[in-house]
Amino acid sequence: MEKRILGLDPGLAILGFGAITCTAGLTQLQSTKVNVLDFGVIKTSADMEIGQRLCTLFDDLHTVIDNLQPDVVAIEKLFFYRMSSTIVVAQARGVVMLALAQHHLPYVEFTPAQIKLALTGYGNADKSEVQEAVARELDLAEIPQPDDAADALAVALTAWYQM
């Protein structure tokens, strides 16, 4: 049975998305296949007012969901850097949660440490180690670009590993 997982790396300026398809073997002897369906980013310009940026995220995320038809969505949990950036990321996450609710999509959330642990075996791995693991696990010749898309694929893979 095939499962489509959409991974999201929320942000106001850049929201990364990465979708994978996972097919589990019917028996333990059959292998599991994981393939990239699509990945990319939704960008908003700092020149736009905050409300318009959130509308862009909302509209474009609806388009991504409609096109990819995920069974489940995996989201990176909010990580606190600076208060100012935390607030805008929280606003973007609110838009993401609303779009998922409107599509009646189940979701799971993972902290950055959980994602790092799932992909590298080490919860304090650096970004490059996680990105290399994404490329290796998905049998890609290169690390997906931009970084936000690679991060979203890492979130999707973490969800698959947890299922």
Side-chain angles (χ1 to χ4, degrees):
M1 182 168 127
E2 183 180 275
K3 186 169 282 280
R4 287 180 178 218
I5 303 172
L6 174 61
L8 297 175
D9 181 21
L12 181 63
I14 302 174
L15 185 150
F17 68 89
I20 59 175
T21 58
C22 311
T23 309
L26 296 175
T27 69
Q28 287 184 340
L29 297 177
Q30 294 175 323
S31 65
T32 299
K33 294 180 184 173
V34 180
N35 296 303
V36 175
L37 184 58
D38 193 12
F39 62 87
V41 294
I42 298 170
K43 292 184 178 183
T44 67
S45 171
D47 297 339
M48 299 166 67
E49 64 179 40
I50 186 79
Q52 188 57 46
R53 293 175 84 179
L54 294 171
C55 284
T56 298
L57 289 177
F58 182 78
D59 293 341
D60 289 359
L61 184 56
H62 271 288
T63 300
V64 167
I65 291 169
D66 288 340
N67 290 340
L68 297 175
Q69 296 293 305
D71 298 305
V72 66
V73 178
I75 307 167
E76 184 172 356
K77 281 188 180 178
L78 188 57
F79 184 74
F80 295 92
Y81 291 108
R82 298 182 318 267
M83 184 52 83
S84 61
S85 64
T86 300
I87 291 170
V88 296
V89 173
Q91 290 171 330
R93 279 181 50 85
V95 166
V96 167
M97 304 309 282
L98 176 59
L100 297 180
Q102 288 182 333
H103 282 273
H104 306 287
L105 282 169
Y107 66 91
V108 292
E109 296 180 282
F110 300 102
T111 65
Q114 288 174 309
I115 296 164
K116 292 173 182 181
L117 182 63
L119 270 78
T120 69
Y122 178 59
N124 287 324
D126 63 34
K127 193 172 194 76
S128 64
E129 291 174 299
V130 173
Q131 291 174 344
E132 289 169 9
V134 167
R136 183 178 59 252
E137 293 297 314
L138 294 172
D139 199 26
L140 302 174
E142 297 178 351
I143 293 171
Q145 294 295 321
D147 290 353
D148 303 271
D151 293 345
L153 287 168
V155 178
L157 282 168
T158 301
W160 174 244
Y161 297 156
Q162 297 298 319
M163 291 184 171

